[in-house]
Amino acid sequence: MSPEWIEGRLGFDFSCATGAVARPETAANPLKCVDVCARYPDGLWLVEVKDPEGTSEQHREGAVIGIWKEIQNDHLLKSHLLPRLYGTYAYLVEQGLEPRGCVRYGILIGLTDLTAADRASLTDKVQRFVDRIGPKIRHSRHWPVVEVHNIASWNAAHPEMLVTRLP
C-alpha cells in the first residue's frame, strides 16, 4: 500500500478521511499552520509532524539532540506547536471553514525513544495552554483535544491512520 500523504520521510494513510486532506501552510502564508488538516466523520484532525529521525544520516544526531532541547525548554511548544494551531484556526476562519464539532490536534514526533511519560508531559503542557486561552470553537462546546505521539504510539492509537517510515 502506498501512503496517501507524505510528510518528509513519513507516509500517512488518510484513506478513511471523509473530507479533503489539505496542507494549509502554503495557502495561509504568512501564517504558520499545521502540516495536515483531514476531515473524518467524528471531526477534524489537525496534524503537526516533527521528524528528526527522518533527517539525513549526517544531520540526524544533531536534529535529535535539537528536538530534545526544544521539548525540554518549551521552545517546541511556544515557537512551533501553539503558533501552528492558532495560525491554522485563523486561516480556517478566514476561509469560512471554521471547524464545527470535535477537533483533534495530533502531534507526531519522530523519536523512537520518546517515552509514554514524555508524550504525556508534552500533551499536558499543550492541552493546558489550549484549555486556558483557546482556540475554542464558537459553534460548539469543543476545545481542541491534544495528542502527542511517536510513530509506534500513533499507530497503536489510530490504526485507521497508519504512519510508516519511508526509505
Side-chain angles (χ1 to χ4, degrees):
M1 176 182 79
S2 63
E4 190 165 285
W5 189 269
I6 296 174
E7 182 66 34
R9 290 187 47 219
L10 297 176
F12 290 79
D13 177 7
F14 290 121
S15 60
C16 291
T18 57
V21 175
R23 181 186 306 272
E25 183 91 59
T26 306
N29 196 10
L31 294 172
K32 291 182 176 183
C33 288
V34 298
D35 294 312
V36 180
C37 293
R39 294 200 182 277
Y40 281 83
D42 63 347
L44 177 67
W45 272 88
L46 307 176
V47 180
E48 177 62 21
V49 179
K50 299 294 179 199
D51 186 24
E53 290 180 359
T55 59
S56 64
E57 187 69 38
Q58 68 217 37
H59 299 292
R60 187 169 300 138
E61 183 179 350
V64 168
I65 291 169
I67 197 84
W68 276 114
K69 285 182 184 177
E70 287 187 355
I71 290 170
Q72 291 168 345
N73 67 19
D74 288 340
H75 182 76
L76 181 67
L77 170 73
K78 294 176 182 174
S79 296
H80 296 280
L81 302 179
L82 293 174
R84 281 174 168 67
L85 177 63
Y86 299 137
T88 301
Y89 263 78
Y91 170 72
L92 291 172
V93 168
E94 192 270 329
Q95 294 296 306
L97 301 170
E98 183 174 2
R100 295 175 188 265
C102 185
V103 176
R104 310 283 293 267
Y105 186 26
I107 301 164
L108 178 68
I109 301 176
L111 285 173
T112 305
D113 59 349
L114 189 68
T115 67
D118 297 327
R119 296 188 309 269
S121 175
L122 188 53
T123 297
D124 182 58
K125 284 181 185 179
V126 178
Q127 191 69 60
R128 278 188 287 133
F129 269 93
V130 168
D131 290 347
R132 195 169 63 228
I133 60 175
K136 185 173 194 276
I137 303 165
R138 294 182 301 151
H139 306 288
S140 73
R141 298 181 319 262
H142 295 286
W143 296 82
V145 175
V146 178
E147 296 182 20
V148 176
H149 293 282
N150 61 14
I151 296 170
S153 69
W154 179 281
N155 288 339
H158 304 292
E160 74 285 0
M161 295 188 288
L162 287 177
V163 176
T164 55
R165 169 95 43 213
L166 303 174

